[in-house]
Amino acid sequence: MTSISEDSDKEKVRSVSVDLNNDASLVIDIPDALCERDKVKFTVHTKTTLSSFQKPEFSVPRQHEEFIWLHDTIVETEEYAGLIIPPAPPKPDFEGPREKMHKLGEGESSMTKEEYAKMKQELEAEYLAVFKKTVQVHEVFLQRLSSHPIFRKDRNFQIFLEYDQDLSVRRKNAKEMFGGFFKNMVKSADEVLISGVKEVDEFFEQEKTFLLDYSSKIKDASAKAEKMTRSHKNVADDYNHISGALNSTAADNNTAFKKTISVCVLQKLEDRVASDQELKLTELLRYYTRDIQAAKDLLYRRARALADNENSNKALDKARLKGKDIAQAEENQKQCLQKFDKLSESGKKELTSFKARRVVAFRKNLIEMTELEIKHAKNSVSLLQGSIEILNSN
Amino acid sequence: MSGSCGRIPPPFPDNEDQEAESDTRVLDSDEDDDDEGEDIFTGARSNPITPTSAPDEGDIFSEEGSYIRSDVHHATNGLHPDEEELDLFTEATVELTLTNTTSQGRREIIGPTASACNTTQVPNSILKPSIVTKTTEELEEEESGDQFELNIAVTNPEKIGDGMNAYMSYKVSTQTTLPMFLNKTFSVRRRFSDFLGLYEKISAKHSLLGCIIPPPPQKSVVGMTKVKVGKEDSSSAEFVEKRRAALERYLQRVVAHPSLLQDPDVREFLERDELPRAVNTQTLSGPGLLKMINRASDAVNKMTIKMNESDNWFESKLQEVENEEQLLRRLHAAVDSLVNHRKELCSNTAVFSKSVAMLGSVEENSALSRALSQLAEVEDKMEQLHQQQAFSDFFILAELLADYIRLLGAVRCCFEQRMKVWQRLQEAQSTLQKKREAEAKLLWANKPEKLQQAKDDINEVKLSTANDKHNTWESKVSQYERDFERVTCTVRKEVLRFEKEKARDFKQHIVKYLESLLHTQHRLVKCWEAFLPEAKAIA
């Protein structure tokens, strides 16, 4: 958390608080990224004092698909079943600004040169914002892995950071997607079955109820927040148009108009900022929607393990009855129990720290958002007051 | 002037005996005015515009902060060409204070006046400088003087009747100190077609003279049908409110025009209890169809008239007007979009607020849960703010722009009238020319009888005509020349007056709009500042 505030003077403003280790033994960041057509190439830069790495400092280029590969391999690792796995970063989505750019190009003939230039500038800024956001999200993903005592030691993670050749993961994409889709279907069917399993532990029972409820609510809230910030942006855009229309009147010696132009421009900026703040809240909600999903996944895995455990118990009983394969069944049962216990233990720890993390993140985000809203509203107030005074004194 | 007769005008300064009096008063008030001139807007209360629902009658004309309208009469009976340079037009201001008993704010629509100048040059037409906004105390002080007040409000829309024959009736209340009215305070009920009828009457009389006639609000079949059918939803309430406000502005503009105010039809509209139903205003009536045909033929005429403009002023002015109309249309479209998006923002915020409240209720950490429900409340308040701002956006900006788009159309009509007069003049001149040529030809051909006939033709002395005037072509031509001169002059004056009024109107409204934005931002600050400690209290 501390590094976040330090970082905020760089352009990276994090909307989501991440428990970054102050531990300098493994520091990861994404200092820059290139956007080529559809592909974004991130430069992953690592500084480490750990001996498991070959060099103390190195950089590799990575693409989004490689991040997904890393995430998926970690998910599939049995050992990590009892941990909350950081959610995968969403795919970079430039569709919005790209569409707008396209529309702008089409409407070029119908507006003045200045207006066109201005709108182009704005779209470019929007593009840049989306870009920055996607960099940040990928960075956060890596940082969560690096700050987790278990994940940071993961062999695949290290390969990801170090291996300077192409990881050639792309070929699998179509198959993977299909496989992933199938897996999800199985999982949701499973979830239904498993929710019927009797829960022995009070803690987990509570967590289950809470997480299920919370997850749907937060998903809803994040969707609504998104809509709201989009409307706010529209309002800001309208002020832009108004100031553009006013600007295009050449021979207007009307000071009232001129003042209105400047006010509209600034009002637009204010609204933009306001929508940016709301965007942060939206981001937070979105991130935690994914995180909650990861927590739910943990619960799912534990429930699976519980079911397995029970099944193995039943199998053992059956074996004992039949008198056959008892040793095997016993072995099986022991393993299942072990797995289950391990899962429960680490799961409890993870979920507790997750709670704390969530509360802290919300707090930070809400405070930041509120403070910025206040600051910008106050700016607006003084600006408007000034303009009114000038107009009145004319 | 407007040719209104048979009405006793208020004691204007062009009465000889009052001259000396008014002189001094002019000088005195001049000094006052110069100081006060700067205070036009600071005197205004910055309150948000909130839509009024039926305000009480007693409250309509609260004296607090009401402004004086000084009625000025420019002595135009003999138009002096050089008067144009003098800024002789002091505008009548009609200012309004509405108090709304139900809602928080107070709506004020200000129309301040400019001060006149140069009274010494034209001794017979000393113009009263218009008084700028004054407080109640100053109002009372000057009551004794020649300042006249005229406040108009349109309120209390009521649905009369049922089904397709239903209509909305509006209360038109007037408060005035003008002696030409019978009472000081009075009110009548009028319906929309009455307003349209008034416009028709005024238009018929004054537009030929080149006056700019304020256009009435537009008819709306969809809106009215909803109302008639009895849909009690918010959109029909909004429609009625929009119309009510538009009718009010329309009347205020009419009485702000010095010559229109003198028109007996206007007085009748304001005063008389029962007006004969104006059926000519229906689209599908006989006169309505006739009007449409006339408009079509006018359009054709416009295309064919190529006026030989001796004065560049008119050409460039017309171009300016057309450009401005374009600009206003664009602006209006942008503001319209703003209003719609803000309404969207409003509903999205409401939905979000509920969603956050739900999230807060599920949250297990109690401090965070409380903070989230507080956030939901803040968002709720924001929704209300957005709603209010949308109203301001609409009623202050959008309607202003829409009004002026129509007014600019009226200005163009004014120019067209002048063209028509010119055309008439041209036709008369060419007829005269032809007859003279015919006469000359006959002179050549030396046919005395026909010659006499031709001479008679030119001088067509018809003693039997009803109004006992000479109706010769020559006199016709000279009459039309005079008409053209007069219309040209009037149009010039009208345009200048209009421009000044427009600049003032816009400035006023922009200030009002900025004030509404300011208010919203203030409230925003308060909301968020109240929330901050809650956010900080999360542990």
Side-chain angles (χ1 to χ4, degrees), chain B residues 97-373:
Chain B
T97 14
L98 290 175
T99 49
N100 188 343
T101 48
T102 54
S103 70
Q104 326 76 300
R106 169 191 290 258
R107 171 161 52 198
E108 288 160 70
I109 302 173
I110 315 169
T113 61
S115 27
C117 54
N118 266 338
T119 53
T120 50
Q121 217 163 319
V122 190
N124 281 342
S125 56
I126 293 169
L127 302 157
K128 195 114 290 193
S130 29
I131 313 301
V132 198
T133 66
K134 297 212 185 282
T135 58
T136 356
E137 306 82 72
E138 290 161 303
L139 230 179
E140 277 150 21
E141 277 173 33
E142 292 169 27
E143 202 88 69
S144 49
D146 263 296
Q147 284 92 40
F148 298 104
E149 191 184 315
L150 181 72
N151 296 339
I152 297 191
V154 175
T155 54
N156 296 71
E158 256 173 44
K159 183 168 165 199
I160 313 273
D162 256 323
M164 286 315 286
N165 285 328
Y167 63 92
M168 291 302 283
S169 137
Y170 302 87
K171 180 160 143 190
V172 177
S173 315
T174 318
Q175 186 190 47
T176 178
T177 53
L178 282 167
M180 68 182 171
F181 291 97
L182 298 169
N183 298 315
K184 286 215 156 55
T185 316
F186 48 90
S187 70
V188 291
R189 291 213 77 102
R190 294 281 178 258
R191 54 184 288 189
F192 185 64
S193 53
D194 293 335
F195 289 83
L196 293 182
L198 176 66
Y199 172 71
E200 296 292 325
K201 289 187 204 153
I202 297 177
S203 188
K205 281 190 268 181
H206 294 264
S207 63
L208 297 172
L209 303 170
C211 287
I212 300 175
I213 318 280
Q218 287 169 323
K219 292 196 209 178
S220 163
V221 178
V222 176
M224 267 326 276
T225 315
K226 267 204 258 183
V227 171
K228 284 182 186 177
V229 162
K231 271 182 86 171
E232 283 297 326
D233 65 355
S234 61
S235 68
S236 54
E238 225 177 275
F239 171 76
V240 171
E241 173 54 29
K242 187 172 154 192
R243 177 165 276 195
R244 184 207 63 77
L247 290 174
E248 196 173 74
R249 291 194 305 270
Y250 166 62
L251 280 184
Q252 285 166 346
R253 288 209 176 91
V254 167
V255 297
H257 193 299
S259 20
L260 292 183
L261 179 61
Q262 303 293 321
D263 190 310
D265 281 325
V266 171
R267 186 168 52 131
E268 188 184 60
F269 181 88
L270 291 175
E271 266 191 326
R272 186 160 157 194
D273 279 328
E274 290 284 326
L275 271 192
R277 176 98 184 271
V279 290
N280 295 354
T281 58
Q282 284 168 342
T283 330
L284 295 178
S285 63
L289 290 173
L290 191 62
K291 218 186 328 160
M292 281 200 281
I293 295 174
N294 276 338
R295 230 178 292 167
S297 69
D298 273 351
V300 172
N301 261 347
K302 215 187 338 166
M303 292 192 279
T304 55
I305 296 180
K306 179 62 179 105
M307 184 158 166
N308 198 4
E309 189 59 78
S310 52
D311 192 345
N312 261 339
W313 187 89
F314 285 93
E315 228 175 272
S316 60
K317 253 312 156 205
L318 187 58
Q319 189 59 43
E320 254 180 61
V321 167
E322 283 173 358
N323 288 346
E324 193 152 355
E325 204 177 319
Q326 289 280 49
L327 166 70
L328 288 188
R329 274 183 205 279
R330 271 181 69 194
L331 266 179
H332 184 252
V335 173
D336 226 7
S337 156
L338 175 67
V339 173
N340 287 335
H341 281 142
R342 214 188 276 282
K343 286 197 182 145
E344 227 177 74
L345 175 61
C346 198
S347 58
N348 284 343
T349 309
V351 164
F352 175 65
S353 157
K354 290 201 187 73
S355 180
V356 170
M358 294 282 282
L359 188 64
S361 67
V362 180
E363 174 62 58
E364 46 180 18
N365 179 307
S366 58
L368 181 55
S369 165
R370 204 172 32 241
L372 284 175
S373 13

Side-chain angles (χ1 to χ4, degrees), chain A residues 43-271:
Chain A
T43 308
V44 179
H45 169 252
T46 318
K47 256 213 292 237
T48 176
T49 56
L50 295 175
S51 51
S52 48
F53 291 93
Q54 290 175 1
K55 289 185 274 192
E57 186 169 347
F58 45 88
S59 289
V60 291
R62 288 284 175 252
Q63 294 189 14
H64 173 72
E65 287 79 10
E66 292 163 313
F67 284 79
I68 300 297
W69 166 83
L70 178 61
H71 175 259
D72 288 347
T73 35
I74 292 181
V75 168
E76 286 159 14
T77 312
E78 276 290 332
E79 286 169 33
Y80 303 144
L83 306 173
I84 297 182
I85 299 173
K91 193 168 154 77
D93 179 21
F94 293 101
E95 199 48 52
R98 194 172 293 152
E99 213 182 290
K100 280 198 197 164
M101 196 64 106
H102 189 64
K103 263 197 225 154
L104 181 66
E106 281 177 1
E108 183 178 352
S109 47
S110 68
M111 53 179 97
T112 65
K113 246 193 174 159
E114 304 165 340
E115 240 183 278
Y116 179 72
K118 208 164 23 138
M119 293 218 65
K120 188 148 178 262
Q121 219 177 26
E122 306 225 334
L123 273 184
E124 282 169 0
E126 213 177 296
Y127 206 81
L128 192 64
V130 172
F131 191 65
K132 273 196 235 165
K133 202 169 40 136
T134 190
V135 164
Q136 182 210 325
V137 162
H138 285 75
E139 198 181 58
V140 160
F141 171 66
L142 293 178
Q143 284 167 342
R144 271 188 71 178
L145 287 175
S146 72
S147 58
H148 195 285
I150 300 179
F151 288 132
R152 73 198 333 227
K153 300 203 197 100
D154 182 75
R155 186 69 202 131
N156 286 318
F157 185 46
Q158 293 190 344
I159 293 175
F160 178 91
L161 291 174
E162 241 187 344
Y163 189 60
D164 52 4
Q165 308 287 338
D166 201 354
L167 288 175
S168 51
V169 296
R170 264 156 301 166
R171 249 180 293 128
K172 288 199 192 153
N173 257 353
K175 244 205 285 182
E176 242 181 15
M177 281 207 306
F178 186 69
F181 178 66
F182 190 64
K183 254 195 274 186
N184 271 337
M185 277 190 23
V186 171
K187 192 165 94 168
S188 23
D190 248 350
E191 264 176 358
V192 175
L193 289 173
I194 281 165
S195 55
V197 168
K198 201 169 63 109
E199 184 53 73
V200 292
D201 193 332
E202 182 64 36
F203 174 80
F204 283 100
E205 182 64 39
Q206 267 181 345
E207 279 304 298
K208 190 163 73 165
T209 339
F210 169 68
L211 281 179
L212 282 175
D213 215 354
Y214 199 78
S215 138
S216 66
K217 298 272 168 12
I218 200 173
K219 209 151 119 183
D220 185 59
S222 106
K224 304 279 159 60
E226 213 168 35
K227 268 181 90 175
M228 184 176 78
T229 56
R230 230 202 316 264
S231 299
H232 216 147
K233 253 221 179 85
N234 283 341
V235 168
D237 281 342
D238 281 330
Y239 274 115
N240 199 14
H241 288 141
I242 292 176
S243 68
L246 284 173
N247 247 337
S248 65
T249 139
D252 206 25
N253 51 4
N254 194 334
T255 44
F257 268 23
K258 288 229 165 68
K259 257 297 143 198
T260 319
I261 293 175
S262 56
V263 166
C264 281
V265 166
L266 289 146
Q267 189 59 32
K268 169 203 78 175
L269 289 176
E270 294 308 325
D271 272 329

Side-chain angles (χ1 to χ4, degrees), chain B residues 1 21 39 199 203 214 301 350 454 461 487 494 498 509 513 520:
Chain B
M1 254 258 302
E21 218 182 7
D39 287 346
Y199 172 71
S203 188
N301 261 347
V461 180
V487 167
E494 284 283 292
F498 173 76
H509 279 81
Y513 183 67
T520 306

